Amino acid sequence: MRLTAFTDVSLRLVMRLAVAEEGELLTTRTAAGMLAVPYTHLAKAVARLSEMGLVETRRGRGGGLLLTDRGRRVSVGMIVRELEGAGDLAGCEDDPPCPLRSACRLRLALREAREAFYASLDAVTVESLVAQPTHDVLTLLREPEKPL
């Protein structure tokens, strides 16, 4: 199973925010540069993570992004479940729908495999993801220099 780019970007952002120093507020634009993702993609991730109560956004001068206490403690499984959704892994209901869907066992097997994947991520917290040596790598991320 491969995560969507949206989930990947969202997890990267949560991890970077988890190692922010006291008082360090990253803007969406700065975080996008640090994480090497397009600003528009990161802005959508910020909006969704904010809706989920994992990221707090502060507007105006001196504003930026903060990881909430819930965001620090939440399981990676919960984040991925929420962001990936519950759709089928196979194209059972695509147009045209699969002719095997009424008697297919693959759909159930894939659903069970996805739940096993999520269950393994339920034991992983955001805080555990950013332990050493990852912590140091995340804190060294910088926004790329702008050409003169």
Side-chain angles (χ1 to χ4, degrees):
M1 182 174 162
R2 183 177 174 102
L3 298 178
T4 62
F6 182 74
T7 300
D8 177 43
V9 165
S10 298
L11 289 171
R12 284 196 246 170
L13 175 62
V14 167
M15 290 171 65
R16 178 54 184 89
L17 292 176
V19 300
E21 294 179 18
E22 183 73 31
E24 178 186 15
L25 296 175
L26 297 177
T27 65
T28 302
R29 191 162 307 282
T30 299
M34 288 177 162
L35 299 171
V37 298
Y39 169 80
T40 54
H41 293 154
L42 195 67
K44 290 175 186 173
V46 167
R48 184 68 179 105
L49 292 167
S50 179
E51 288 173 10
M52 293 169 62
L54 305 180
V55 171
E56 178 185 335
T57 60
R58 294 185 180 173
R59 296 170 99 42
R61 187 179 181 139
L65 308 172
L66 288 171
L67 191 63
T68 64
D69 288 336
R70 180 172 185 256
R72 290 183 189 288
R73 294 186 319 269
V74 71
S75 78
V76 175
M78 188 290 267
I79 297 172
V80 174
R81 260 188 203 90
E82 187 75 22
L83 297 177
E84 290 289 315
D88 284 327
L89 293 176
C92 304
E93 301 299 330
D94 288 353
D95 188 24
C98 176
L100 304 176
R101 72 184 184 281
S102 65
C104 183
R105 298 174 111 170
L106 178 60
R107 187 184 229 175
L108 176 61
L110 290 172
R111 188 176 304 132
E112 289 172 353
R114 179 180 50 211
E115 281 310 310
F117 172 74
Y118 290 153
S120 69
L121 292 175
D122 284 338
V124 180
T125 64
V126 171
E127 283 183 321
S128 70
L129 282 180
V130 299
Q132 293 296 3
T134 307
H135 182 279
D136 288 345
V137 173
L138 287 164
T139 58
L140 292 174
L141 293 177
R142 297 283 177 249
E143 188 175 16
E145 301 274 335
K146 293 185 171 80
L148 297 174

